[in-house]
Amino acid sequence: MGAEVIDRGAKGVASMDHLTKLGSSLEVPNVQELAKEKPPRVPERYIRHDRDQEEPVLPQYSPEIPVVDLQKLLDESSMDSELHVLHTACQQWGFFQLINHGVDSSLLEKMKSETQEFFNLPLEVKKKFDQKPGDVEGYGQAFVVSKEQKLDWGDIFCIVPMPVSLRKPHLIPKLPSSFRDAIETYSKEIKILSMKILNMMAKALGMDIEDMVTLFEDGMQTIRMNYYPPCPQPELVTGLSPHSDAGGITVLLQVNDTIGLQIKKDGAWIPVTPLPNAFIINIGDIIQIVTNDSYPSIEHRATTNSEKERLSIATFYNPKLDGVFGPAPSLISNEKPARFKSIGLAEYLRGYLSRELVGRSYLDVMRIN
Ligand code: OGA
Ligand code: NI
């Protein structure tokens, strides 16, 4: 995206409006509409000629990402052994499924069906929520920074529901009331859940809980709803390019049972099969920074399917937008000095969003050499 659309002038931080215009994407075709074309076709801009050179994809179910039981973490008698499960999952996988998380399954079902209904709306209706120049929120595609860049086979709808002061008047308030209500309740629940998970991570690491709470209390939350239409030649495209998430932690809810998420481990792609009623949690770059490399953020991607559409709801839980983060003081020592710079969230996100989504490269920008 070029300097023509990104608001780089906000570095010094001015109004809240400046703060939430963190980046943007060039306008590209709507993939849901493209996928309806007859005869079906995959335009050149979506074809990854290098897909045959990529790492192997392991068969489904072998191996599986770890499973963490939140109830066991909160229960005095099982806490210690489950903290060990959490710690190992975060250290060695950066990904886990969370069961017994306490979020009502009827709320999850509601959020899923409302998301599905949103993408089912006619294009003219969805267009009212289009991303505006200089903004990644809204309906469209993310991370399209140049005309030469390959495109992902998917559309997104992205909103910032929390803190409430950052809500854009043309987005959440204009949604159908049932969707709005679902988002309202869902984002409150995800905030509570994220704080519980972050607390447990701090415990597992022997980190000062206050370091974690101060950073993430009233954190900024982004919900990104992904829609991957069926693709006539799924082996030629990616639904979402390989990346690590920039935020603190990501809480992913898969909407239907189409498989597509893959994580990279030991030089291979591992497909993730969501458990019913579970969240898929992963470490984002900010937690890798805060934990001073103890918990790595892991590269992942989404593939597409020739028959079925796939939908997912990713919620990124971040520090507060006007806060500064870096390696937690309680995790810095003479033996392990700070490995990353400290930075304000707004400046960090702006830098991240202005780059093409490529692997883990932005984390390297933050690293102290
Ligand atoms: C994301 C993401 C994976 C998926 O939105 O950052 O990684 O399964 N989504 O859609
Ligand atoms: Ni992601």
Side-chain angles (χ1 to χ4, degrees):
M1 104 182 42
E4 70 275 20
V5 277
I6 190 169
D7 179 9
R8 290 176 198 280
K11 259 200 172 150
V13 171
S15 64
M16 269 311 186
D17 198 41
H18 263 127
L19 276 173
T20 54
K21 284 191 177 159
L22 295 168
S24 79
S25 191
L26 294 181
E27 209 177 311
V28 295
N30 182 279
V31 187
Q32 194 171 353
E33 296 301 314
L34 182 61
K36 289 180 191 159
E37 281 184 15
K38 296 272 182 283
R41 67 185 182 107
V42 180
E44 176 61 27
R45 272 186 94 184
Y46 297 85
I47 298 177
R48 313 282 174 141
H49 293 287
D50 52 0
R51 282 215 56 183
D52 53 342
Q53 287 153 33
E54 69 196 20
E55 298 79 358
V57 178
L58 299 187
Q60 203 183 342
Y61 301 118
S62 62
E64 287 279 3
I65 63 169
V67 177
V68 174
D69 185 329
L70 185 61
Q71 198 49 53
K72 286 190 185 161
L73 275 175
L74 297 172
D75 196 338
E76 202 76 51
S77 63
S78 45
M79 182 187 280
D80 283 349
S81 63
E82 202 63 11
L83 275 174
H84 182 72
V85 175
L86 175 74
H87 189 62
T88 311
C90 292
Q91 252 186 343
Q92 295 177 9
W93 289 79
F95 259 89
F96 58 89
Q97 305 214 43
L98 189 70
I99 58 168
N100 293 327
H101 47 65
V103 182
D104 200 19
S105 62
S106 62
L107 173 63
L108 302 189
E109 291 312 312
K110 176 94 184 122
M111 189 65 192
K112 290 183 197 177
S113 61
E114 292 292 339
T115 301
Q116 177 84 56
E117 272 178 42
F118 175 82
F119 285 103
N120 288 352
L121 290 169
L123 183 63
E124 319 83 78
V125 181
K126 284 179 289 196
K127 277 208 154 295
K128 293 188 187 133
F129 300 97
D130 259 358
Q131 289 164 335
K132 297 196 161 152
D135 197 354
V136 282
E137 278 189 75
Y139 179 62
Q141 292 77 25
F143 298 105
V144 183
V145 298
S146 84
K147 290 207 163 64
E148 289 74 45
Q149 183 186 335
K150 288 293 177 182
L151 301 180
D152 285 336
W153 194 262
D155 301 320
I156 60 167
F157 180 48
C158 192
I159 49 171
V160 175
M162 295 226 192
V164 175
S165 59
L166 292 183
R167 286 188 191 176
K168 302 271 166 70
H170 70 287
L171 293 176
I172 298 174
K174 294 279 160 47
L175 289 171
S177 63
S178 53
F179 194 13
R180 216 166 54 213
D181 292 347
I183 290 169
E184 190 75 54
T185 318
Y186 188 74
S187 58
K188 279 191 190 130
E189 290 289 329
I190 296 297
K191 175 183 175 172
I192 296 168
L193 179 68
S194 300
M195 288 310 289
K196 284 182 190 160
I197 299 168
L198 289 164
N199 244 287
M200 289 298 164
M201 287 177 176
K203 259 202 178 87
L205 279 163
M207 169 180 161
D208 187 342
I209 306 269
E210 279 310 304
D211 283 352
M212 199 65 114
V213 173
T214 315
L215 256 180
F216 285 96
E217 217 172 25
D218 298 316
M220 178 195 178
Q221 195 184 111
T222 303
I223 302 182
R224 176 183 154 130
M225 290 157 256
N226 298 295
Y227 181 87
Y228 309 101
C231 179
Q233 290 169 290
E235 66 291 349
L236 296 182
V237 306
T238 60
L240 182 57
S241 300
H243 65 284
S244 63
D245 293 340
I249 53 171
T250 305
V251 179
L252 186 90
L253 179 64
Q254 191 158 310
V255 174
N256 55 9
D257 54 15
T258 312
I259 302 299
L261 174 64
Q262 298 180 345
I263 72 167
K264 204 197 258 181
K265 189 173 191 321
D266 305 329
W269 289 104
I270 299 181
V272 176
T273 314
L275 295 170
N277 252 316
F279 285 114
I280 297 163
I281 312 287
N282 67 278
I283 304 289
D285 293 346
I286 290 177
I287 283 295
Q288 177 162 355
I289 293 171
V290 169
T291 64
N292 207 20
D293 269 341
S294 291
Y295 289 172
S297 71
I298 296 297
E299 227 181 295
H300 55 284
R301 68 178 184 184
T303 58
T304 61
N305 187 286
S306 60
E307 308 291 321
K308 293 182 284 185
E309 63 184 8
R310 181 169 177 270
L311 290 90
S312 67
I313 305 167
T315 307
F316 306 106
Y317 196 78
N318 300 308
K320 40 183 171 296
L321 196 50
D322 55 358
V324 170
F325 68 93
S330 51
L331 295 180
I332 299 174
S333 62
N334 282 339
E335 294 75 49
K336 194 177 171 187
R339 296 195 181 159
F340 299 93
K341 302 169 218 170
S342 291
I343 189 173
L345 182 68
E347 188 186 346
Y348 169 81
L349 288 180
R350 209 174 282 123
Y352 177 84
L353 292 169
S354 63
R355 297 158 66 98
E356 191 178 338
L357 194 56
V358 273
R360 310 175 61 255
S361 60
Y362 197 61
L363 202 56
D364 296 333
V365 176
M366 299 295 302
R367 196 176 281 283
I368 295 171
N369 293 312

